[in-house]
Amino acid sequence: MKPFESAVLSNGMRVAAACYPGGMVSCCGVYIGAGSRNDPEGKEGLAHFVEHTVFKGTGKRRGWQVAGRMEDVGGYMNAYTSKDYTKIYTKAPAGYDARALDLLADIIADSRFPEAELEKERDVVAEEIRSYLDSPVEVMYDEFDENMFKGSGLAHPILGSEESVSRLRGEDCLGFLDRYYTPGNMTAYMLSPEKPEKTLRLMEKYFGSIGRVDQPQERPGVEIRERFDLTEKADNHQANCLLGKRIPGLCDPRRYRYFLLAHYLGGGFNSRLCRELRDKRGLVYNVGVAADMLNDTGVFSLTFGCAPESVEKCRRVIRKELDRLRETPLSVRAVETIKRQYIGNLMMSTDRPSMRVSGAARSMLLFGNAVDLPDSIEAIKRVTPEELYDTARELDYADFSAYTLR
């Protein structure tokens, strides 16, 4: 695949297009710079509810017509909501680029939110909420975020609650679209067998006509909360524990250092914590380490499930490994190995051309410019052992908050 081409449409919307010669499918999508953190107080779950209901009808299509527009040619349309953004996307056989772009533009610019459809969708979302509540790991993450980000829009679950969703109305959805689904707050991408110049002309035709007025997008700061260590009872065979510490967000130049440290500690069966907790001691089936980042903040997290009586043993092992990492710098050889492994994983996770051009559009939304895989690889290669050690010293176990279900 040749590198993508990016452009700014006449209405200010940023887009990326890539050509996959001989490809049999076309993929396109739109990122909107609004997620659950943008939910108004008392209307938690609105961003996610809008994502569900933009498919329920427009000025020229009823809900069943929206649903069938791509399925009629063997394709599909879907969407998801995160804390920071929403994504709506399609995939279809090659040759239906205009159909896909027209449909995406229609639901973004002209969704109507009929009340009869909203009433049914509230029940659907309520079932989705209940399914999450049946998962101890999901509950653990939600409860941890509620305490870590208390007082901000990041504290509540993306889905909201059954009570908050029951209060959402069509005017709330329309207001959310007017506020956030604007050209300057969206980016789009398309991968197609067609040349990028042709694709960009199509994107101008459909997305360039979205005339909603951009509004100032303010993002309140997120306060650092006091450390907490909470345990709640759960009727489960396993105890589930999450340890987490606030770290900078994606716009911080240190982000790749945190990614590398997370990989070293928990990136696969040969990672440090997997060897110590699983291979040597048999305490866990799996252990996860992640540097989860939003634009402006993030959490370095360590998660594990074990027998209830083994929680403290696992935490002692984790503390020992974090202390070791803070006190003894990794060798040059070890750092190069970590970088090679992480770059390999990154390449494998973005091996589909659609993921690369989609990632470019996402980076335009988050950073203001398109970041391609080679850019990320070069940035990772530039990380020095000294820089990695400086960042590792920030991972003091005493600063980690904890939430345990057992």
Side-chain angles (χ1 to χ4, degrees):
M1 187 188 83
K2 294 181 179 179
F4 56 83
E5 292 189 19
S6 59
V8 180
L9 304 183
S10 57
N11 61 358
M13 187 172 177
R14 295 158 293 172
V15 298
C19 176
Y20 190 27
M24 300 180 68
V25 299
S26 291
C27 309
C28 63
V30 178
Y31 286 95
I32 302 98
S36 62
R37 71 183 304 173
N38 300 98
D39 294 339
E41 187 174 352
K43 297 179 180 179
E44 291 80 9
L46 178 58
H48 175 256
F49 192 65
V50 168
E51 173 240 299
H52 268 241
T53 52
V54 288
F55 301 105
K56 298 305 178 181
T58 69
K60 65 180 182 181
R61 293 183 175 97
R62 299 183 68 179
W64 65 268
Q65 293 173 311
V66 172
R69 185 66 177 159
M70 301 312 297
E71 291 182 2
D72 285 349
V73 297
Y76 65 86
M77 173 176 281
N78 209 338
Y80 66 83
T81 306
S82 73
K83 288 184 180 289
D84 246 2
Y85 62 85
T86 303
K87 181 183 178 183
I88 305 172
Y89 59 97
T90 74
K91 187 174 183 179
Y96 294 102
D97 295 5
R99 174 184 286 242
L101 292 170
D102 174 52
L103 181 60
L104 276 174
D106 188 30
I107 65 174
I108 287 169
D110 200 26
S111 285
R112 297 300 176 89
F113 306 104
E115 183 55 39
E117 295 292 340
L118 299 189
E119 188 62 37
K120 289 182 285 188
E121 204 62 26
R122 290 188 196 96
D123 293 335
V124 171
V125 174
E127 289 302 322
E128 187 178 2
I129 291 170
R130 291 167 194 151
S131 73
Y132 273 75
L133 293 176
D134 280 343
S135 168
V137 174
E138 296 294 342
V139 171
M140 176 181 69
Y141 275 104
D142 283 346
E143 293 293 336
F144 184 89
D145 282 355
E146 183 178 339
N147 287 278
M148 178 62 76
F149 298 112
K150 189 176 297 183
S152 80
L154 298 174
H156 65 268
I158 291 172
L159 306 187
S161 65
E162 290 188 54
E163 181 183 1
S164 66
V165 171
S166 71
R167 294 194 292 264
L168 301 179
R169 296 292 179 266
E171 56 266 29
D172 299 316
C173 299
L174 286 169
F176 198 86
L177 253 64
D178 287 340
R179 178 75 177 82
Y180 296 109
Y181 282 53
T182 64
N185 197 43
M186 297 189 294
T187 60
Y189 68 91
M190 181 156 225
L191 174 73
S192 168
E194 301 290 347
K195 293 182 179 180
E197 307 86 69
K198 180 177 180 179
T199 300
L200 290 173
R201 287 196 296 270
L202 277 176
M203 297 177 92
E204 172 63 42
K205 177 181 178 180
Y206 293 106
F207 292 145
S209 62
I210 297 174
R212 211 173 269 127
V213 178
D214 286 312
Q215 300 184 40
Q217 302 293 337
E218 297 180 359
R219 179 165 288 166
V222 183
E223 294 182 11
I224 301 291
R225 312 300 303 185
E226 290 185 6
R227 179 183 177 276
F228 57 86
D229 193 340
L230 303 174
T231 299
E232 291 192 14
K233 291 185 178 180
D235 187 20
N236 302 317
H237 293 291
Q238 268 196 328
N240 292 277
C241 184
L242 191 161
L243 304 169
K245 176 188 184 300
R246 283 278 295 276
I247 57 176
L250 283 168
C251 291
D252 192 286
R254 292 170 292 175
R255 64 183 182 274
Y256 292 112
R257 305 185 205 175
Y258 287 106
F259 295 153
L260 290 170
L261 290 170
H263 178 80
Y264 169 73
L265 288 169
F269 288 120
N270 203 37
S271 64
R272 189 73 195 178
L273 285 178
C274 192
R275 291 202 307 268
E276 293 296 324
L277 290 172
R278 175 176 167 146
D279 295 346
K280 289 186 179 180
R281 297 171 175 85
L283 293 172
V284 303
Y285 173 69
N286 195 18
V287 59
V289 184
D292 293 315
M293 294 182 178
L294 306 175
N295 245 17
D296 55 341
T297 189
V299 174
F300 194 95
S301 65
L302 305 100
T303 57
F304 61 89
C306 65
E309 63 271 16
S310 299
V311 170
E312 295 310 317
K313 290 180 184 178
C314 291
R315 290 181 62 166
R316 284 196 296 270
V317 172
I318 290 171
R319 179 168 193 160
K320 179 181 177 182
E321 292 305 316
L322 288 177
D323 287 346
R324 185 200 305 272
L325 193 58
R326 294 177 65 243
E327 294 165 2
T328 307
L330 293 168
S331 68
V332 173
R333 182 177 179 180
V335 172
E336 290 305 310
T337 298
I338 296 165
K339 290 196 288 187
R340 183 175 65 249
Q341 291 173 347
Y342 184 74
I343 289 171
N345 286 354
L346 189 62
M347 293 172 68
M348 291 176 63
S349 68
T350 55
D351 67 330
R352 296 201 304 272
S354 60
M355 296 182 69
R356 287 186 62 182
V357 68
S358 171
R362 179 174 175 266
S363 67
M364 286 193 292
L365 180 71
L366 298 177
F367 309 132
N369 62 291
V371 178
D372 196 11
L373 179 62
D375 302 318
S376 298
I377 291 174
E378 286 305 310
I380 294 165
K381 288 181 176 178
R382 288 195 297 269
V383 175
T384 68
E386 292 77 18
E387 289 173 336
L388 203 61
Y389 179 53
D390 285 344
T391 302
R393 292 175 67 185
E394 299 173 11
L395 300 179
D396 187 347
Y397 182 87
D399 296 334
F400 278 72
S401 293
Y403 185 86
T404 305
L405 277 174
R406 64 174 171 185

